[in-house]
Amino acid sequence: MTRRVTGYAAEVTVSDGQRFASLGGVAVQNRRLVLIWLRRQALRLANGHGLPLVAEPVRLSTGDVRPVRFHGSHAPEELRHWATHGPHQDHAIRALEAGFPALFTVSDPAVGLSLTLAGWRGRPAERWSPATNRS
């Protein structure tokens, strides 16, 4: 008997190309909450560089990811653009609807790090792994 997966999860990771570390994650009931959480984290990370935080209309019970300091890159602007640009959000929700992970990665070449926002369908115990699920 196949168990039906009803939940979703999201995580923000940072990588130097060989090692991955989680900055935080969440398990939620639906794909819209995945996108709300990922957008909030993208804006928090981007806005941590001098711009005011955008108020979120939906409050989730889980905490925010740990902040990241970007060094001489366009990563904050790319995160902000991803979080506020409708076509990017449409693409992410369609990926989740089709059963694929919603992924967005920004790079900070000054220090050789990449930051990935990921959302996927699955039980909380089924962690998405950047090393095995690259798209």
Side-chain angles (χ1 to χ4, degrees):
M1 178 177 191
T2 304
R3 288 187 352 182
R4 185 166 183 243
V5 176
T6 58
Y8 288 81
E11 186 172 27
V12 178
T13 59
V14 65
S15 170
D16 65 2
Q18 295 180 351
R19 296 170 294 178
F20 293 86
S22 176
L23 298 177
V26 65
V28 294
Q29 292 128 357
N30 63 60
R31 62 186 174 263
R32 296 241 179 252
L33 291 176
V34 165
L35 283 183
I36 288 170
W37 189 82
L38 288 173
R39 287 182 64 220
R40 175 177 169 78
Q41 302 318 308
L43 290 171
R44 282 189 71 255
L45 291 165
N47 291 346
H49 296 275
L51 296 176
L53 291 176
V54 175
E56 283 290 329
V58 176
R59 301 291 297 167
L60 298 177
S61 62
T62 57
D64 293 322
V65 299
R66 295 185 306 240
V68 172
R69 180 172 167 88
F70 297 105
H71 303 272
S73 76
H74 296 287
E77 290 81 17
E78 291 175 27
L79 286 166
R80 192 173 295 107
H81 183 71
W82 179 84
T84 60
H85 191 64
H88 291 308
Q89 299 305 301
D90 293 343
H91 177 75
I93 199 76
R94 282 195 305 273
L96 291 169
E97 286 171 349
F100 296 106
L103 302 171
F104 180 70
T105 300
V106 295
S107 297
D108 189 347
V111 291
L113 293 178
S114 62
L115 181 115
T116 300
L117 302 160
W120 66 95
R121 187 175 191 174
R123 294 181 296 276
E126 296 174 341
R127 276 179 71 95
W128 171 82
S129 169
T132 59
N133 291 306
R134 293 182 184 170
S135 11

